[in-house]
């Protein structure tokens, strides 16, 4: 079983839609969680950290369910520029463990 | 620009040849990570350095792979006797400047894309 699992997608949504990505992790001792964004043929970049109480950054909301070992990312009012791959990331011992990524394509 | 630079950006080689990639991390940062990413997958951890010491190696790093960071600044990743399965993007990363240890943000270089024919 992979340490971090995501639905690879693609998710094809119209502009303005709300879309949610889910992720599960296998190590119950994990303490830190993140979402990274990766544009096509570019390097991954931190989108946001995920806090136990849930957190929001503009149109993006991240949530963590420790009991279910489940992380989510919600994007409201999707923009064309949101098209990218979204990587769920768990901090292991001194390294980051990435999921396979979920590809999002927003169309006009 | 993340401050992490990698060279070369692209490398095409024939099976069996050796290749070397170089990474210049965020200046004066003591941590440096190598990841590998294949199409449709997320980055996979290969190894990391604390200054010149290589502290952890993934089982993905077979004996054909060797990484060094001789002076605690730049790092090299060498692949000997390349195989077609080595075709991937090799990414180098540093944590946020000013953070001695990895909290959660890694700054990646643009990567070195390897194609083995």
């Amino acid at each position: 079983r992979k340490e971090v699992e995501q639905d690879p997608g693609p998710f094809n949504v119209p502009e303005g839609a709300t879309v949610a990505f889910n992720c599960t992790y296998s190590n119950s001792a994990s303490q830190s969680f993140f979402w990274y964004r990766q544009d096509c043929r570019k390097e991954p970049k931190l989108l946001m950290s995920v806090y136990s109480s849930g957190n929001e950054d503009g149109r993006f909301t991240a949530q963590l369910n420790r009991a279910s070992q489940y992380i989510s990312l919600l994007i409201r009012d999707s923009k064309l520029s949101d098209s990218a791959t979204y990587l769920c990331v768990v901090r292991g011992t001194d390294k980051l463990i990435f999921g396979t990524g979920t590809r999002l394509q927003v169309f006009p | 620009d993340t401050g992490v630079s990698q060279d070369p950006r692209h490398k095409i080689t024939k099976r069996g040849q050796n290749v070397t990639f170089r990474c210049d991390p965020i200046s004066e940062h003591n941590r440096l990570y190598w990841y590998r990413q294949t199409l449709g997958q997320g980055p996979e951890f290969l190894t990391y350095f604390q200054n010149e010491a290589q502290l952890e190696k993934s089982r993905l790093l077979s004996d054909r792979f060797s990484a060094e960071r001789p002076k605690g600044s730049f790092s090299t990743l060498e692949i000997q006797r390349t195989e077609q399965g080595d075709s991937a993007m090799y990414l180098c990363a540093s944590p946020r400047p000013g953070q001695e240890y990895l909290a959660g943000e890694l700054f990646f270089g643009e990567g070195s894309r390897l194609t083995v024919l």
Side-chain angles (χ1 to χ4, degrees):
Chain A
R1 182 186 172 188
K2 287 190 174 181
E3 291 187 76
V4 181
E5 297 208 52
Q6 295 182 250
D7 178 348
F11 284 60
N12 296 305
V13 303
E15 274 186 291
T18 295
V19 61
F21 305 136
N22 304 318
C23 164
T24 57
Y25 60 95
S26 61
N27 186 351
S28 60
S30 299
Q31 294 295 313
S32 303
F33 310 91
F34 312 90
W35 284 99
Y36 273 64
R37 170 187 168 134
Q38 187 171 25
D39 293 313
C40 188
R41 297 190 173 275
K42 296 287 190 179
E43 72 275 18
K45 293 182 181 179
L46 177 67
L47 177 66
M48 59 195 301
S49 301
V50 185
Y51 302 121
S52 297
S53 54
N55 50 297
E56 192 173 300
D57 182 2
R59 298 181 292 107
F60 298 82
T61 301
Q63 292 195 313
L64 169 65
N65 183 322
R66 287 189 185 273
S68 302
Q69 294 177 214
Y70 172 96
I71 305 161
S72 66
L73 176 68
L74 183 78
I75 305 176
R76 290 182 301 278
D77 189 23
S78 299
K79 310 290 184 193
L80 294 175
S81 58
D82 294 333
S83 298
T85 296
Y86 291 84
L87 297 158
C88 178
V89 183
V90 175
R91 185 180 183 279
T93 307
D94 281 338
K95 61 181 176 286
L96 297 185
I97 303 165
F98 289 79
T100 55
T102 299
R103 193 154 64 89
L104 171 66
Q105 183 66 51
V106 181
F107 58 88
Chain B
D1 183 8
T2 62
V4 179
S5 61
Q6 294 188 244
D7 182 72
R9 293 288 309 281
H10 303 277
K11 178 72 176 179
I12 300 174
T13 192
K14 292 183 179 179
R15 189 176 54 188
Q17 298 295 304
N18 299 343
V19 296
T20 300
F21 302 118
R22 175 178 169 130
C23 171
D24 287 89
I26 296 171
S27 61
E28 299 179 6
H29 205 289
N30 56 10
R31 287 255 174 137
L32 183 151
Y33 290 78
W34 284 100
Y35 280 78
R36 180 178 75 181
Q37 187 173 24
T38 54
L39 195 62
Q41 300 296 314
E44 297 172 294
F45 170 77
L46 292 179
T47 188
Y48 88 94
F49 292 83
Q50 174 87 15
N51 300 312
E52 65 273 14
Q54 189 173 18
L55 295 189
E56 186 177 346
K57 292 194 293 186
S58 162
R59 58 184 167 77
L60 292 175
L61 219 62
S62 75
D63 56 6
R64 296 184 299 104
F65 288 71
S66 61
E68 294 182 342
R69 196 181 182 197
K71 298 181 181 179
S73 55
F74 72 91
S75 176
T76 58
L77 177 69
E78 181 183 17
I79 309 173
Q80 295 183 325
R81 304 181 305 280
T82 52
E83 301 173 355
Q84 288 183 324
D86 298 331
S87 296
M89 177 74 84
Y90 291 85
L91 293 161
C92 176
S94 288
R96 175 175 286 281
Q99 283 187 338
E100 184 177 357
Y101 299 105
L102 174 61
E105 183 165 18
L106 278 178
F107 290 89
F108 285 87
E110 293 183 307
S112 293
R113 183 174 295 281
L114 174 64
T115 302
V116 182
L117 302 176

